[in-house]
Amino acid sequence: MKHYHTLALKELLAQRVTSVLILLAIVLSTMMTAVIGQSIGVLSAMRQQQAIAIGGNRHAGFVQMDEAQMETLRSDPRLSFVGAYMVLGSARLDNTLLLGLSEFQEDVRAVYPAISAIKEGRLPQAPMELALPEDVLGYLGFSGELGDTLTLSLSKALRHGVITQSYDFTADFTLVGVTESNYLHYAAGTINGIVGPGTVKALLPEEYLYYNVDIRVADKGSFQDTMDELVSSLNVHELDTTYNVPYLNALGIRYSAEAADVTDISEAGFPFMTAAGILVGGLILLAAGLVIYNILKIAVSRRMTQYGVLRAIGADRSQLYILVAVQVLLLCAVGIPIGLLLGILSAKGILTAATGLLSPEIFLARDAGELNRLIAENSGGKGLFLLASAAITLVFSLTAALPAARYAARVAPTAAMAGSRVRIRRRDRKAKRSRNFEAFYARLNLKRSRGRTAITVLSLVMSITVFIALQGAVGLLNTAGSGVAEHYGDYSITNETVGFSPEEYQAMRDDPRVAELTAMQFSLYEQGTGGYPVGIEFGRPLQPAETFQVLGLNSAYWDRAFSSLPPEVLEKLKAGEGCMVRNPLPLTFEGQEIPRTTILTGESVTVAGRELAVLDTLDGYDGYLSVGNNGFINGVQIIVNEELYAALTGKTAYNELLPALAEGTDRAEFDGTVEALAGRVPGTLWLSYEDTDRQLAESFAQIRLLAWGLILFVAFIGLLNIINTVYTNIHTRVAEIGMQRAIGMSAGSLSKMFLWEGAYYGMIAAAIGSIAGYVCTIFVEAAVTDELRLVTVPVIPILEAAVLAITACLLATCIPLRRISKMSIVDSIETVD
C-alpha cells in the first residue's frame, strides 16, 4: 500500500490551476527575497571593502611599541593576526596634506591594499628604496623616472607622555614604484608612502626606533575585553591605542566608543538600503502569503469531503496538517530554486538602480562610476544570504498554509463527509427594482465569502498604495536636468590647495575650443585672537564661529552669477571699484541667536589695509560661493574682481575653472586636455557636466524602472488572488451556472456577471488604496520638507491607479471565464462538486 503522502502530489496534479498560482507566488516571493538577500550581501561586502581601503584590514592598533611588547602580542593566542610597521617620518606637501613614509614588516598588500596598489614599477624590497602615490609625485614636482633619486626632508615625532620631540633629517631615496592615488585619505590629511626594509634603522637614531602594531582578534565577540586586557597588561598609554572604527562597524563588532574616542560615526547609506530592502521584502512576502493563504483555504474547503473520508478511515489531525504542508513543500521545491536563479540574475541591476537614490559618498565612493564598479566587484553569489532568503520564503509559505491545514484538521469526519451546509440569513429589506441583474448578482457573490473578498481586495489595495506613493516619491527624486541652469560651463575643474597658475588659466582661456571661461579664486581665513582673521587684516572683529573669506571672480563669472544686479553696480564690481559682501547666516544655540557680523550696502570695509566700498550685500544661502567640496562654511565673504583679489591676498592662482566649449568641439579630445592639466597640478578634480547630466538622467530612468518593477511585482501577486478567486467561484458554482443557463441566461450575460464581480474588486480596492496612497504621499512629502502637513491630492496618480486596477481586474477575470464557454448546460447541472 502506498504512503498517504503520495496523495499530496495527486492533489497538486488534479488542481493544476491552483498549483500554478501558488507556484507563481512562491517563485515571485523567492525572487524578491533573493534579490534583497543578494543585495544585502553585496552591500556588506562593499562596506567591508571600503572600510579596509580607509583604515586597513585590521581591527585595532598600538603605536610606539618596543620589540618586547610586539613579541608579546605575536604570541597572544587571542589574536588571529599581528602585523608591525615602523614610521620613518613625514613631510608636509601643503597646508592641509602630509606625506607619511613607513616600513612594513609583513606584506603590506594584505593589510593596506589601498596604499600598496602598484600602478608602475614594484614595491620596495631593499633599504632606501621608495614607492609613492602618483599624486604625491605631482605635489613634489618630480618629473623623473623609476630608478631616479628623490630627496626628501622628513620629520619623526617621539612622544614621552604628553611631551613631544621630533627629529628632522634629509635623505636620498631611489624611486622604484608608483602606487595608485587614494583620495579617500585626503580627508584624514595624510598620504602614505612605502620604504624598503632596513631604511628606518639606517636613518633614525636608536631612541626613535619603535613599532606600530596592527591586530585582528580571533573572537570578535570579546573584542573589547581583549583590548582592555592588552592595554592593561602591556601598560599602553591611552593615546597609543587606535581603533579601526569603519571596519569594526562594517563587521558588526561591538566596541567602547569612549575607548575608541569617537562620538558619532556616519554610516547612513548601508543601514538605509538594508532597511529599505527588508521593508520591500516584507511587503512582497505579505502579498505572496495572502495569495497562498487564500488559494489553499479555498482548495481545502473544496476537498473537505475527501478529508472527511481520510479522517473516517483513521487519519488523525497531524496527518492532515502534514498532507497540506507536503503540498506546499513540493511547490517550494520547484519554485524556490527558480526564484533564487531569477533573483541572482536581476540583483545587480536592481541594486545599481536603488543605490542611484543616494549620494555615492555615503557608500564611501567618490562618484557613481566607482559605486557601480564596487557593486560589480562584489556581485558574486552570496551563499549565506541566498540560503537565508530561501529559508525565509519557505517558512513564510508554510506559515501561510497553516490556517488552511488547521481548517482541514478541525472539521469532524461526519460533517466533512456530509458536505457543507450554507446557512442563509435574510435581513428585512425593501423590495426594489434591479436595473442591472448581472451587477446585482455580482454584488451578492462578493458577500458569499466576505473573508475571501477581503483578502483579494487587500492584495489589490497594497498594489494601489505602492503605485500612488511611488509616483510621488519618484517625482521628488527626479534630479535629471535640475542643475542645468547652475552650470557656468561644460566642465568643473577645481583645485582647493595649490590652485591653477595664471599661465594655466590664460592657456585655457586662449584655447580656441573654449568659447567662455568662468573662473573663481578662493581664500579662507580662520578666526584668531580677539576675533580677527589669521593671515589677513580685517577692520573689524568677527563674531564667534565665523570665518573670513575672500573670493575673486573673473568678468565671465560676474556676468553669469550676478546678471540681475543693476548694470552700473555690476560694472563697478567688475572694474574693482568696490566689493560685494555676503553676511554670515544667523545661528542659534539653546534657543538664543548667536551674535553675527552684519555689513550693509553703502558701508565701507577695510581689508589688507585697503578701504572698500560695499556696493551690494547678500544674505541667506542665495549667492553663496564655494570651491569644490568646501561646501558651506559660515562667515563673512568679500567678493571682488581678479585684480583686487590679488592685491588683498597676495595670491594669483585660480581655484575653479569652468570652461564652456565652442560648438562642434570634440569632447573626448578636450577630456584629454583636462586630464593633462590634472596630471600637471596635483590635487585637481574635474567633472564633465555632460556626463553628470547623462548620469542623472540614467539614474532617474533606473529609479523609475525600479519603482515600476516593484509596482508590477506587487500588482501581479495581487492579480493571482483575483484569478484564483474568480476561477474558484466558477468551479464551485458549476451546477448553479448550469441552472442559470437552463432557465435562459445567455453566456454573454453570465460573463458580464463575473466581469462585474472583477470590476467591483477593482473599484473597492481603488477607493481604499487611494486613501492609503494619499496618506503615504503625505509622509513622502514630509520626508523632503521636514514638515508634516496636508498636501495636494495626487489626482492624476489616483485616477491612473483606479483605471489600471479596474482594467487589470477585468483582464484577470477573463482568464478563468474561458471555462464558461466550454461548459455544457446538461453536464453542468449533473456535475457533483
Side-chain angles (χ1 to χ4, degrees), residues 636-650:
V636 177
Q637 287 191 333
I638 305 295
I639 309 169
V640 296
N641 73 346
E642 301 162 286
E643 292 78 14
L644 200 49
Y645 175 86
L648 298 177
T649 64

Side-chain angles (χ1 to χ4, degrees), residues 410-636:
R410 291 184 62 183
V411 177
T414 53
M417 295 175 66
S420 59
R421 296 178 181 177
V422 180
R423 180 179 297 177
I424 301 189
R425 297 179 180 178
R426 297 188 181 274
R427 298 180 177 89
D428 294 335
R429 57 186 180 183
K430 296 180 180 179
K432 56 183 180 180
R433 183 178 179 183
S434 176
R435 300 183 180 274
N436 189 319
F437 175 77
E438 292 87 353
F440 170 74
Y441 205 87
R443 292 194 295 271
L444 291 180
N445 288 339
L446 295 181
K447 297 177 182 179
R448 287 189 173 190
S449 178
R450 298 179 187 272
R452 181 191 309 168
T453 301
I455 291 174
T456 305
V457 169
L458 179 60
S459 60
L460 276 176
V461 167
M462 294 169 59
S463 306
I464 297 170
T465 302
V466 170
F467 176 85
I468 296 173
L470 286 182
Q471 284 282 79
V474 168
L476 293 173
L477 292 169
N478 184 9
T479 56
S482 61
V484 172
E486 299 177 0
H487 296 349
Y488 296 158
D490 294 315
Y491 291 81
S492 172
I493 311 169
T494 61
N495 189 295
E496 302 176 31
T497 53
V498 297
F500 307 102
S501 67
E503 293 75 20
E504 296 281 9
Y505 166 78
Q506 193 63 41
M508 182 166 289
R509 188 175 183 180
D510 295 339
D511 192 323
R513 298 170 297 179
V514 177
E516 182 183 58
L517 180 60
T518 305
M520 179 194 297
Q521 299 162 300
F522 182 89
S523 291
L524 173 68
Y525 302 92
E526 298 289 346
Q527 188 176 145
T529 306
Y532 290 93
V534 178
I536 193 171
E537 179 187 347
F538 184 47
R540 64 180 73 183
L542 301 171
Q543 295 295 336
E546 292 179 353
T547 62
F548 185 73
Q549 305 166 35
V550 181
L551 294 96
L553 308 180
N554 72 347
S555 180
Y557 207 117
W558 281 110
D559 291 334
R560 286 272 193 161
F562 301 106
S563 59
S564 59
L565 288 174
E568 62 275 9
V569 174
L570 182 59
E571 289 303 317
K572 287 184 178 181
L573 288 169
K574 291 166 64 177
E577 298 177 10
C579 69
M580 174 186 286
V581 174
R582 187 192 179 283
N583 290 310
L585 285 178
L587 303 176
T588 59
F589 179 73
E590 295 183 351
Q592 299 294 324
E593 183 175 321
I594 300 175
R596 64 187 178 106
T597 301
T598 303
I599 301 173
L600 303 177
T601 302
E603 294 184 1
S604 296
V605 294
T606 302
V607 182
R610 301 187 59 156
E611 187 173 345
L612 305 175
V614 180
L615 301 177
D616 193 60
T617 55
L618 301 171
D619 293 283
Y621 286 100
D622 293 338
Y624 183 82
L625 301 174
S626 64
V627 174
N629 293 326
N630 274 324
F632 173 77
I633 303 175
N634 202 29
V636 177

